[in-house]
Amino acid sequence: MRKSIPNGVWPTMLTPLTNSNEIDYRVLEDLVEWYLEKQVDGLFAVCQSSEMFFLSLDERIGIARRVVKAVSGQIPVIASGHISDNMAGQVREVQAIADTGVDAVVLVTNRLAEEGESEDIWKRNAERLMNEVPDVPFGLYECPYPYKRILSKDLMKWCDATGRILFLKDTCCDVKQMQEKVESVGGAKLKIFNANAATLLESLKSGVSGYSGVMANFHPELYVWLTREWFREAEAAQELQAFLGVASLIERQLYPINAKYYLQLEGLDISLVSRTPNSRDLTCSERYEVEQLHELSRQYCDRFRLN
């Protein structure tokens, strides 16, 4: 496992499923290759976009292991699958995911304290879990389900001081809060990745390390360009940010079905099967919206290419 992780773009991976609702490992490997071709900096497997709350532990282990194998060391892989409510179940999950060879195991922040409980309780539970699985590097994810627990700047400072937490997927969607978190950790070890497309450029200016959100399942190469070139080409970056912010409204459609449809337009042999929404609920007009986004994305990708 790595002692640090790179800045940049970390897609929250989808889970391809067969028509019989089983994990399609062949397409999963194709999807990893697609991400690699787009030059992403890391992969966040077994997350909410992966429908982890609807996967068995064996399935979560299988996905993490296959992604690590498919990446073959080219970029780091982190994974969650941290969905249990009780400590014994969480320890079992964390150890099982760690054993797949991922570079960090991502803890879901709302699993370490009940809604309304204090950050002191959160810290005690986090310490207990980390003590149960020594030597495992961690990440954190402010997952919206079943409730969103946003970490304070003081708690972020504590997390950084543990020396074992490398990654935060931040979902506060507030640039000021993200800047306070960045300042509290210093950016040397614990890195903060913005999940929100509309605030990405401003958050990068505030010291955020990159992007980890659902829109990296549509046009990740545009996010790669923005995270790598924004400070060199300020005017172009602002134009691209405007497109990415508006394009991200498609998140409000039938996700992840719409992302899988977009990937079909990209040439991947991925089904629209999901364990949460029903693909039949993707309307005719929504399909047109995805197709139009794909057409516009191709035009922007032609303009914003990395050297």
Side-chain angles (χ1 to χ4, degrees), residues 48 52-53 82-85 90 107-123 125 141-152 155 169 171-172:
Q48 191 172 21
M52 68 180 181
F53 294 101
H82 175 226
I83 67 174
S84 291
D85 292 317
Q90 292 181 27
L107 304 178
V108 174
T109 58
N110 59 41
R111 284 297 188 253
L112 295 172
E114 296 290 337
E115 189 171 10
E117 288 186 328
S118 71
E119 290 192 339
D120 286 336
I121 292 174
W122 191 97
K123 285 191 285 188
N125 289 331
Y141 170 26
E142 295 173 339
C143 181
Y145 178 86
Y147 80 96
K148 186 185 288 192
R149 178 174 280 268
I150 300 297
L151 304 186
S152 71
L155 187 52
K169 179 182 174 182
T171 65
C172 73

Side-chain angles (χ1 to χ4, degrees), residues 255-266:
Y255 183 80
I257 302 296
N258 58 353
K260 292 183 175 184
Y261 183 51
Y262 188 99
L263 291 170
Q264 286 184 351
L265 300 175
E266 284 283 288

Side-chain angles (χ1 to χ4, degrees), residues 230-248:
W230 67 268
F231 56 92
R232 279 190 282 263
E233 299 189 46
E235 189 173 328
Q238 191 63 54
E239 178 188 352
L240 179 58
Q241 173 62 71
F243 169 71
L244 293 176
V246 172
S248 71

Side-chain angles (χ1 to χ4, degrees), residues 14-24 26-28 30-31 51 256-265 267-275 279 282 287:
L14 303 174
T15 297
L17 298 167
T18 67
N19 290 328
S20 56
N21 209 9
E22 302 293 329
I23 296 171
D24 193 329
R26 176 187 62 83
V27 177
L28 181 64
D30 292 342
L31 180 59
E51 303 180 80
I257 302 296
N258 58 353
K260 292 183 175 184
Y261 183 51
Y262 188 99
L263 291 170
Q264 286 184 351
L265 300 175
L268 273 74
D269 185 25
I270 187 171
S271 78
L272 299 185
V273 176
S274 166
R275 293 186 181 175
S279 61
L282 187 69
R287 285 175 180 261

